[in-house]
Amino acid sequence: MEKTWLDSIDRLKGVGPKTSLLFNQLGIKTVKDLMFHFPFRFEDIQVRELETILDQEKVVLMGQVVSPPVVTFFGRKKSRLSFKLAVDDFQVVEVTFFNQPYLKKQIELGQVRAVYGKWQEVKQSLLAIKIINQTAGDDYAPIYHATKGLNQSQIIKAIKQAFTDYQNEIEEIIPGFLNDQFNLISLKEALWSMHFPKQEQDKIQAQRKIIFQEFFLYQWRLQRAKQKRLHSNGVEVHYQVEDLRQVIQTIPFDLTHSQKKAVNEICRDLLSPFPMNRLLQGDVGSGKTLVAFITMIACVQAGFQTAMMVPTEILAQQHCQSFNNYFESSGYHAEMLASEMKEKDKQNILQGLESGRIRLVIGTHALIQETVQFKSLGYLVIDEQHRFGVGQRQNLLEKGLSGHQANVLQMTATPIPRSLAQTLYADLSVSTMEGLPHGRVEIETQVVSDKHIDWVYERMQNELDKGHQIYYVLPLIQASEFMEQVENVQETCDRLKNEFPQVKVGRLHGQLNKEEQKQVMTEFKANQLQILVATTMVEVGVDVPNATVMVIQSAERFGLAQLHQLRGRVGRSSLPSYCFLIANPTTDQGKERMVKMVESQDGFELSRADMEIRGMGDVLGRNQSGIPVFTYGHPLQDEAIMTAAYQSVGQLLEQPELMTTEEAETLEKYTQLIKLEI
Ligand code: ADP
Ligand code: MG
């Protein structure tokens, strides 16, 4: 069998089926995976001179063993191992290990030994932690994510074995001219240095290469998809400018400057022969829905069908109602499609879409079922795009006219600065809405500890007295907590009923059936319920302008993007609004998120902070914002590398002759291989 670094790790010497399984648990299947399993930190094992060491500092000392090691036992199972180490001709220090008597075997009089431990200045002794097997010149010891049954030294051994057996199989993925242009070391060198750097500089060079490669492959995928799209047939939407203007006139308020600009940008794309793929980003409450509605009407005018996909049935219903409120009188009608509708109604909608009778539909992911067929789909809108997977979005695209790619608009409430958006979302054109509609006031935001809940109740009472409504949201972080949370909602609901006997309290959670959910939302909208205790189901898109208070329980458990989304459910009119974050954050990140929420109401600033605080990988275990999360690089901290990758790909697509046929083939291979969840 031909040898490649995509071979399974059990082909390595010393890695049997049992060890293999343990590695699999860490997501490591191939030799390549193993080489990419980087240490999450390094211990500094540079040998230090005594004069430079501070009291209690963790250091490595090296010297000759000048007294025989002695073990003394005391108490039950307790022991002390001590010996003297001469770190130079004049200085002798005492080294003490507690409760590791078996180490005695490894210490011999006269031997040179390196020991890692905590320096005790007063006693001039080292409280030892472990013996370091120092190979000359290594200043850092890698520390890996391990798992039960698989320890550090086994991991290091396997990685070293991988390099011994497979170093010649490591394929260079980045085309040579780019390595030259940016002074990047080879992948082989980089991988080795990620594990076993000799010095700080090696680590930096290795990281630069690995991050560039990650960003480059990401950009290559995106920009190639864009190129392909621009070479396929779109649907030209010839709408009637005058008619559209008249429809806009019937809306009871003026469009904001940002809304007008976005409508223009989208309409220009719709008209063009290329398929549109545009992202509309704007803060919570900036009025994206209306922009989508107006442009959907343009599509209907031109004789095509149009569909909007939203993440929840509640949202589908809300959008449908508000569309019909605004535009029914102008002769436009929206139908709704959701999975849990009555069979008869559903058949009716499906039939209408297939025959072309229905022109405009708003639905949940029911829209991507096989049974849904359009006659002439010209334009698709995906609201709250981060709630859908890549696959779901792709499935929707396939509903388009055969041989033509439908125009697509994706909407997100996690806006990022324009220049970053351009590089990060390289396959999309981006429309950015700044600011909110006129007359909105700041949402007063406070962090309150559990202990002061009474104060929150007082503030709630104040607002209820004015006839306003309140959301009270509880977290759900893990699916396993699902039932617990349902109980939680019920308990809270009872507690609030007690606390506020003069108003009606309702509840909304995933355990209710769709009919019940709809009922509760309708009642809340109609102000028949004044307090709504809910899960994060209300996070996306819900619009009840009379609600002025958002209380979030255990707020430290939410990410910034999600907190901002939740807060955005209030402040949807000119009424003063409030957000109370009930939180007892224990981590630094949790505290920082609370501070940020109080400091800022600006979605741009908050998504930036979210990315910064989040760092590499997602703290809360899933991406709530829709901004891509990378494994090695960070789009903000490594923005310069991202820009370089973005530009390189652009250059390469224009001048493919810059790479050899072989390089192009390798690149293609790894583009297919490396999965990216964008
Ligand atoms: P989001 O961008 O978060 O989806 P919405 O589309 O839900 O925001 O809009 C928020 C609220 O602002 C809605 O109640 C909507 O009717 C209202 N709205 C939208 N555009 C304007 C405008 N130009 N002037 C005043 N209110 C507006
Ligand atoms: Mg919205």
Side-chain angles (χ1 to χ4, degrees):
M1 199 161 50
E2 204 197 334
K3 187 169 161 189
T4 97
W5 69 335
L6 301 175
D7 287 346
S8 160
I9 45 169
D10 56 18
R11 293 191 62 185
L12 292 171
K13 212 175 98 209
V15 179
K18 232 168 97 192
T19 320
S20 259
L21 270 176
L22 292 170
F23 272 119
N24 289 172
Q25 280 172 20
L26 293 171
I28 300 164
K29 300 220 165 71
T30 65
V31 173
K32 174 170 174 285
D33 293 342
L34 187 58
M35 288 177 170
F36 272 87
H37 183 61
F38 300 139
F40 67 94
R41 72 181 174 87
F42 287 91
E43 236 155 51
D44 189 347
I45 55 167
Q46 289 185 70
V47 175
R48 297 269 300 274
E49 308 217 340
L50 279 187
E51 293 73 43
T52 65
I53 303 172
L54 304 172
D55 189 32
Q56 301 299 321
E57 201 179 347
K58 283 187 181 163
V59 289
V60 175
L61 294 178
M62 187 156 70
Q64 197 176 25
V65 180
V66 293
S67 77
V70 176
V71 177
T72 37
F73 287 89
F74 54 96
R76 275 180 42 151
K77 290 189 186 165
K78 290 191 177 156
S79 72
R80 179 171 51 217
L81 161 68
S82 316
F83 58 92
K84 291 200 160 62
L85 197 68
V87 292
D88 60 37
D89 287 346
F90 305 102
Q91 284 171 302
V92 174
V93 302
E94 172 98 5
V95 177
T96 308
F97 282 95
F98 281 102
N99 307 327
Q100 301 183 62
Y102 46 85
L103 288 178
K104 187 178 172 195
K105 292 195 297 281
Q106 297 184 35
I107 313 288
E108 273 172 45
L109 192 62
Q111 216 182 18
V112 172
R113 270 299 187 196
V115 186
Y116 176 69
K118 213 188 229 177
W119 179 241
Q120 316 290 104
E121 176 75 31
V122 183
K123 294 193 238 158
Q124 291 284 297
S125 71
L126 190 71
L127 189 55
I129 297 166
K130 64 181 175 193
I131 297 173
I132 304 271
N133 290 319
Q134 178 101 2
T135 28
D138 279 352
D139 288 345
Y140 302 97
I143 311 289
Y144 294 92
H145 282 297
T147 184
K148 206 173 160 215
L150 193 61
N151 65 27
Q152 295 293 329
S153 60
Q154 285 169 292
I155 295 176
I156 293 180
K157 211 174 127 224
I159 291 173
K160 289 203 163 147
Q161 192 65 44
F163 278 99
T164 309
D165 294 355
Y166 283 87
Q167 57 177 319
N168 294 327
E169 321 305 323
I170 297 175
E171 284 188 272
E172 186 61 45
I173 300 169
I174 303 291
F177 83 99
L178 289 173
N179 283 330
D180 293 344
Q181 186 177 333
F182 295 110
N183 250 321
L184 298 167
I185 57 175
S186 71
L187 184 58
K188 185 166 145 183
E189 282 174 89
L191 287 173
W192 178 261
S193 291
M194 287 299 285
H195 297 279
F196 311 111
K198 289 246 178 282
Q199 49 188 346
E200 187 68 22
Q201 193 55 30
D202 296 348
K203 257 198 305 189
I204 296 171
Q205 289 303 330
Q207 270 164 357
R208 229 178 124 240
K209 169 72 176 210
I210 298 294
I211 295 172
F212 183 86
Q213 177 168 309
E214 178 175 42
F215 288 172
F216 178 82
L217 284 173
Y218 168 80
Q219 286 292 340
W220 178 252
R221 273 237 174 152
L222 255 52
Q223 293 190 41
R224 248 205 354 188
K226 179 171 184 172
Q227 196 190 38
K228 213 166 125 208
R229 170 166 59 82
L230 292 180
H231 283 94
S232 59
N233 289 324
V235 181
E236 281 177 52
V237 174
H238 292 279
Y239 60 95
Q240 323 286 318
V241 185
E242 257 328 299
D243 288 358
L244 197 59
R245 261 200 203 115
Q246 269 174 26
V247 172
I248 294 174
Q249 300 267 305
T250 65
I251 300 170
F253 39 72
D254 290 335
L255 295 187
T256 64
H257 174 70
S258 279
Q259 283 173 319
K260 283 185 201 154
K261 197 163 135 268
V263 168
N264 281 332
E265 285 168 353
I266 295 164
C267 282
R268 205 181 324 123
D269 277 4
L270 287 175
L271 200 52
S272 99
F274 307 113
M276 166 170 93
N277 194 11
R278 189 172 273 279
L279 180 74
L280 176 60
Q281 55 164 4
D283 209 340
V284 188
S286 57
K288 295 182 289 293
T289 318
L290 206 52
V291 171
F293 285 171
I294 293 167
T295 52
M296 287 170 88
I297 289 173
C299 181
V300 172
Q301 282 178 347
F304 293 101
Q305 289 172 299
T306 176
M308 181 191 246
M309 182 161 76
V310 301
T312 65
E313 188 167 340
I314 289 175
L315 204 51
Q317 199 195 7
Q318 172 187 293
H319 280 351
C320 232
Q321 268 171 10
S322 80
F323 182 94
N324 291 334
N325 274 345
Y326 286 133
F327 304 113
E328 194 105 74
S329 56
S330 306
Y332 297 93
H333 182 76
E335 291 285 357
M336 176 175 140
L337 182 70
S339 38
E340 299 201 12
M341 288 167 56
K342 283 202 201 88
E343 200 49 37
K344 201 169 122 251
D345 296 343
K346 197 152 137 191
Q347 285 310 323
N348 188 26
I349 303 284
L350 291 179
Q351 193 270 326
L353 291 174
E354 197 168 348
S355 72
R357 174 174 54 82
I358 296 173
R359 312 251 96 194
L360 197 152
V361 65
I362 300 176
T364 60
H365 39 261
L367 281 172
I368 54 183
Q369 304 298 307
E370 273 163 37
T371 44
V372 181
Q373 306 234 324
F374 291 89
K375 179 149 185 276
S376 59
L377 185 63
Y379 178 34
L380 282 166
V381 179
I382 302 172
D383 193 13
E384 312 287 352
Q385 55 90 21
H386 68 282
R387 286 300 194 101
F388 297 101
V390 186
Q392 288 176 313
R393 285 180 261 165
Q394 194 56 40
N395 284 346
L396 189 56
L397 291 185
E398 278 153 21
K399 301 284 178 191
L401 282 170
S402 70
H404 295 262
Q405 206 171 333
N407 296 293
V408 179
L409 181 72
Q410 310 198 38
M411 304 206 281
T412 171
T414 312
I416 56 176
R418 201 185 294 270
S419 59
L420 185 61
Q422 196 205 330
T423 45
L424 206 52
Y425 306 126
D427 59 335
L428 304 170
S429 317
V430 182
S431 287
T432 303
M433 308 219 310
E434 264 144 35
L436 299 177
H438 296 296
R440 296 286 164 79
V441 288
E442 286 242 316
I443 301 164
E444 190 188 316
T445 303
Q446 310 233 23
V447 182
V448 189
S449 98
D450 278 340
K451 281 179 274 174
H452 299 110
I453 189 85
D454 284 342
W455 180 83
V456 175
Y457 288 158
E458 269 171 47
R459 304 294 300 264
M460 288 167 70
Q461 188 62 58
N462 272 344
E463 284 303 296
L464 291 170
D465 290 345
K466 290 183 201 150
H468 301 157
Q469 291 162 275
I470 295 173
Y471 295 100
Y472 199 108
V473 176
L474 305 169
L476 169 68
I477 303 295
Q478 272 151 14
S480 62
E481 296 172 26
F482 189 75
M483 286 318 292
E484 197 182 306
Q485 191 200 26
V486 170
E487 271 171 40
N488 232 337
V489 170
Q490 192 54 52
E491 259 170 42
T492 308
C493 195
D494 295 342
R495 182 159 52 85
L496 294 178
K497 274 180 184 158
N498 254 331
E499 203 66 43
F500 305 99
Q502 74 286 22
V503 302
K504 290 196 78 174
V505 184
R507 70 200 201 294
L508 182 66
H509 56 71
Q511 199 64 351
L512 301 176
N513 69 37
K514 296 274 147 74
E515 259 326 297
E516 290 169 314
Q517 291 179 12
K518 215 182 323 182
Q519 176 73 18
V520 173
M521 259 343 272
T522 311
E523 284 174 17
F524 190 62
K525 278 205 157 164
N527 200 359
Q528 288 156 357
L529 292 172
Q530 285 72 43
I531 302 179
L532 183 64
V533 181
T535 63
T536 47
M537 289 179 78
V538 296
E539 169 200 346
V540 289
V542 171
D543 189 39
V544 182
N546 188 48
T548 57
V549 181
M550 167 61 69
V551 184
I552 305 175
Q553 187 84 47
S554 309
E556 74 274 5
R557 299 180 64 176
F558 295 92
L560 262 185
Q562 202 176 14
L563 287 172
H564 185 56
Q565 276 272 343
L566 283 167
R567 177 169 58 186
R569 297 307 114 219
V570 298
R572 298 192 149 243
S573 65
S574 55
L575 299 170
S577 295
Y578 308 90
C579 174
F580 301 115
L581 305 170
I582 302 183
N584 299 300
T586 49
T587 64
D588 285 348
Q589 290 188 345
K591 283 176 195 154
E592 214 175 322
R593 286 202 295 271
M594 295 306 112
V595 171
K596 272 284 160 210
M597 280 296 291
V598 174
E599 272 176 8
S600 176
Q601 312 241 329
D602 179 347
F604 287 87
E605 212 178 303
L606 286 169
S607 44
R608 194 179 175 95
D610 195 24
M611 284 163 89
E612 270 163 10
I613 298 173
R614 242 192 309 156
M616 284 208 273
D618 200 358
V619 201
L620 294 167
R622 68 203 162 118
N623 190 354
Q624 300 161 331
S625 63
I627 299 170
V629 176
F630 297 90
T631 312
Y632 311 111
H634 189 289
L636 282 180
Q637 278 145 31
D638 307 309
E639 201 176 342
I641 305 183
M642 180 60 92
T643 308
Y646 171 78
Q647 287 166 349
S648 308
V649 168
Q651 188 187 8
L652 203 47
L653 285 173
E654 266 175 35
Q655 298 167 267
E657 67 280 6
L658 286 171
M659 49 180 178
T660 65
T661 321
E662 225 179 11
E663 285 173 336
E665 276 167 11
T666 312
L667 183 52
E668 182 56 37
K669 178 169 146 196
Y670 286 96
T671 312
Q672 303 292 338
L673 205 70
I674 294 171
K675 258 207 255 115
L676 283 169
E677 182 67 11
I678 313 160

